[in-house]
Amino acid sequence: MEKITNRKLREVSFKMYPGEVLGFAGLLGSGRTELIKVLFGEDTDYKGNIVINKRKVRFKMPSDAIRQGMALCPEDRRTEGIIPNLSVRENISIVLLPKLTKMGIISKNSQEKVVKEFIEKLGIKTPDMEQKVKNLSGGNQQKVLLARWLCTSPRLVIMDEPTRGIDVGSKAEIYEIIDELAGRGCAVIIVSSELPEIINMCNRCYIMCEGRMTGELNESEFSQEAIMTMATNREQA
């Protein structure tokens, strides 16, 4: 992204690469979530450029970003991510329905095959794929949301507060999935208020304060003190 500016952001620029886990840290109101909304096509009222493989793109809606290989696990998975009253099967396969449908009829066998594969691959704990997703634990809801996007083979996965409200065991499983994604060459963005999560999971980290980038740290430079100093650097912001 090059010099993105809108009502919340001020000339924000950053780069990332395939297989990299990139963190964004900052206090509440720093502009992290607003930046993600621009990147994923949810906010189109901005100046600046999004550049993918040296080509400038401008998304009019999230579906444009999805076609470019992006995926988003939002901060509030209950209201913006999962569809609570639908089953695990429906939640995972919803983005694949166009590919699973012929002559207006969904191939249930193909649908169930994909869903079963990702339930097993991500270790989703559910009695069966027809269980309503609202009845699962927070960690398993997050894995259902991840499964939905992973079946599209994304090139970039954006995770806003990926382990908020999740137990320790499920956190470890989410971290393993992130590592596996990066190992396969997928780029991952982690937006997190938990500094240990940023420090332990990311290769690089950008720090934001009041809508501006106030610092960039490499893995060897990470510390909670360094991040907090940049996150509260109002003078630079």
Side-chain angles (χ1 to χ4, degrees), residues 29-41:
S30 63
R32 298 170 304 163
T33 297
E34 288 76 12
L35 178 62
I36 295 309
K37 288 181 180 295
V38 170
L39 183 58
F40 199 64

Side-chain angles (χ1 to χ4, degrees), residues 135-151:
N135 295 329
L136 303 185
S137 68
N140 283 294
Q141 288 177 359
Q142 185 73 312
K143 286 192 281 187
V144 166
L145 190 53
L146 267 171
R148 176 193 298 171
W149 292 118
L150 295 188
C151 64

Side-chain angles (χ1 to χ4, degrees), residues 4-12 25-32 34 207-215 230-237:
I4 298 296
T5 298
N6 63 11
R7 59 190 178 278
K8 292 285 188 179
L9 305 171
R10 297 293 176 267
E11 295 194 338
V12 173
L27 303 179
L28 185 66
S30 63
R32 298 170 304 163
E34 288 76 12
I207 300 90
M208 298 185 68
C209 178
E210 297 184 346
R212 293 188 184 274
M213 294 290 193
T214 53
M230 294 176 180
T232 55
N233 191 349
R234 294 177 181 274
E235 184 175 328
Q236 184 174 338

Side-chain angles (χ1 to χ4, degrees), residues 56-70:
K56 293 179 182 179
V57 297
R58 192 171 186 95
F59 303 140
K60 296 180 180 179
M61 58 189 70
S63 58
D64 294 336
I66 293 169
R67 279 191 288 271
Q68 288 289 331
M70 294 188 186

